[in-house]
């Protein structure tokens, strides 16, 4: 009996020494064989959605080379660039019903459910995505093609711990495929310009030229008044070139040559 107690004590001390190294943690599946090696987790955005891209959209009311008419106070040409962030919550779905099975509790998958990806780890110079833990805390690892890593993980102190127990995938061709849900943020103005025809003044065509640009998240507006002899056939407003076809008290007829 004394020898048995001594043996257990030695095993307990050995287990503690592994834990103190920070590499191994004793598992919770009631077996001395369930030891884990831990890996650093790079968590994805903890919010419901993660920003994955920014999309821009240009809205203009002109068409180069088309004859147009503007009355006094009317818009000659305008354009604005809008930006919005696109958010995506990556989720995966099994291609069929199945499980990772071993002599312990199996980790089951349903092809009628979707599973969220919470982060990734690097193992032997390969990256694996982590499927959100099931109700038992089991984590499944996926490579970039959706293939399932043959070992199950748990999270300890924000690190991934891999169970030494071998799991068998059933059926063998089961894998996960990506699905994405999208959400778009409100649009933000990046820049804009607007040219209005203000009429004739002292035999000159008068244009109001307004530009807006974004400076550290705040819109900055600039306004200019530009005048040209009413008999000019070509006028330049910033980067905008117009061909004037006709001018009278009712307005101007023109073409946009370039912006």
């Amino acid at each position: 009996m004394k020898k048995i107690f001594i043996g257990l004590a030695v095993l307990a001390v050995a287990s503690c020494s592994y834990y103190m190294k920070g590499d191994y943690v004793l598992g919770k599946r009631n077996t001395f064989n369930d030891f884990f090696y831990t890996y650093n987790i790079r968590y994805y955005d903890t919010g419901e959605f993660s920003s994955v891209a920014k999309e821009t959209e240009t809205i203009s009311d002109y068409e180069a080379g088309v004859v147009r008419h503007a009355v006094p106070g009317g818009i000659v040409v305008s354009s604005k660039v809008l930006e919005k962030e696109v958010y995506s919550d990556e989720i995966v779905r099994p291609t069929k019903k199945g499980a990772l099975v071993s002599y312990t509790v199996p980790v089951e998958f349903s092809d009628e459910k979707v599973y969220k990806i919470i982060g990734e780890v690097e193992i032997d110079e390969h990256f694996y995505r982590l499927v959100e833990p099931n109700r038992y805390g089991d984590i499944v690892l996926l490579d970039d093609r959706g293939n399932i890593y043959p070992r199950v993980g748990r999270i300890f102190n924000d690190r991934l711990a891999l169970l030494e127990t071998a799991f068998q995938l059933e059926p063998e061709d089961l894998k996960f495929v990506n699905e994405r849900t999208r959400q778009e943020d409100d649009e933000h103005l990046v820049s804009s310009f607007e040219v209005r025809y203000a009429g004739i003044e002292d035999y000159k065509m008068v244009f109001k030229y307004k530009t807006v640009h974004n400076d550290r998240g705040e819109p900055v507006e600039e306004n200019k008044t530009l005048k040209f002899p009413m008999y000019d056939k070509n006028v330049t407003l910033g980067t905008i070139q117009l061909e004037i076809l006709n001018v009278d008290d009712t307005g101007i007829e023109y073409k946009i040559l370039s912006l």
Side-chain angles (χ1 to χ4, degrees):
M1 182 65 71
K2 184 178 296 184
K3 290 182 179 180
I4 294 175
F5 281 120
I6 291 174
L8 291 174
V10 170
L11 181 57
V13 171
S15 299
C16 289
S17 65
Y18 278 123
Y19 182 83
M20 291 299 290
K21 289 179 181 179
D23 291 338
Y24 293 87
V25 179
L26 185 61
K28 294 184 178 180
R29 291 173 179 261
N30 300 319
T31 169
F32 285 114
N33 294 323
D34 288 350
F35 288 93
F36 300 88
Y37 185 82
T38 64
Y39 298 86
N40 182 54
I41 300 174
R42 186 176 76 84
Y43 286 100
Y44 295 159
D45 193 299
T46 54
E48 182 182 0
F49 288 87
S50 318
S51 176
V52 294
K54 289 185 178 181
E55 294 181 355
T56 58
E57 179 184 11
T58 301
I59 301 175
S60 306
D61 72 337
Y62 66 86
E63 186 175 348
V66 176
V67 177
R68 296 167 58 107
H69 184 269
V71 300
I75 292 179
V76 176
V77 59
S78 69
S79 180
K80 60 183 177 181
V81 178
L82 301 175
E83 182 181 77
K84 58 188 174 184
E85 286 193 278
V86 178
Y87 294 82
S88 178
D89 183 22
E90 184 176 291
I91 55 178
V92 290
R93 183 191 298 272
T95 54
K96 57 185 67 177
K97 183 178 179 180
L100 280 170
V101 297
S102 69
Y103 65 87
T104 63
V105 179
V107 181
E108 299 178 321
F109 317 113
S110 170
D111 57 355
E112 297 180 356
K113 292 177 56 179
V114 294
Y115 301 81
K116 185 176 180 179
I117 301 298
I118 62 170
E120 63 184 35
V121 296
E122 182 179 1
I123 301 175
D124 297 330
E125 298 183 351
H126 295 282
F127 284 93
Y128 295 90
R129 294 174 295 163
L130 307 180
V131 177
E132 189 172 35
N134 64 13
R135 60 178 178 169
Y136 302 110
D138 296 318
I139 292 181
V140 174
L141 288 72
L142 308 176
D143 67 11
D144 58 354
R145 297 184 177 182
N147 298 312
I148 302 169
Y149 195 72
R151 291 168 63 186
V152 171
R154 291 285 187 94
I155 294 178
F156 289 95
N157 298 323
D158 284 332
R159 292 178 64 85
L160 179 73
L162 284 181
L163 187 64
E164 287 290 350
T165 304
F167 283 80
Q168 181 69 38
L169 181 62
E170 295 182 0
E172 294 182 355
D173 60 344
L174 186 153
K175 61 189 300 183
F176 281 79
V177 293
N178 289 342
E179 292 191 7
R180 289 183 180 272
T181 57
R182 283 170 56 100
Q183 169 179 294
E184 295 178 355
D185 197 2
D186 293 335
E187 293 178 324
H188 306 284
L189 181 67
V190 176
S191 63
S192 71
F193 64 82
E194 177 185 274
V195 176
R196 289 182 180 270
Y197 177 61
I200 299 174
E201 183 180 310
D202 297 330
Y203 300 100
K204 292 182 178 180
M205 297 176 290
V206 181
F207 296 89
K208 300 291 185 180
Y209 182 35
K210 180 176 74 172
T211 61
V212 178
H213 66 274
N214 194 295
D215 184 12
R216 299 178 183 178
E218 296 295 330
V220 177
E221 183 177 309
E222 295 182 8
N223 292 279
K224 296 179 181 179
T225 298
L226 304 173
K227 298 181 180 181
F228 303 89
M230 63 182 295
Y231 300 108
D232 279 1
K233 295 301 181 183
N234 292 279
V235 300
T236 300
L237 307 145
T239 61
I240 305 165
Q241 290 187 328
L242 303 179
E243 178 185 359
I244 306 301
L245 304 175
N246 186 47
V247 182
D248 57 31
D249 291 337
T250 64
I252 60 169
E253 191 174 60
Y254 63 97
K255 289 181 181 180
I256 299 171
L257 299 180
S258 63
L259 295 175

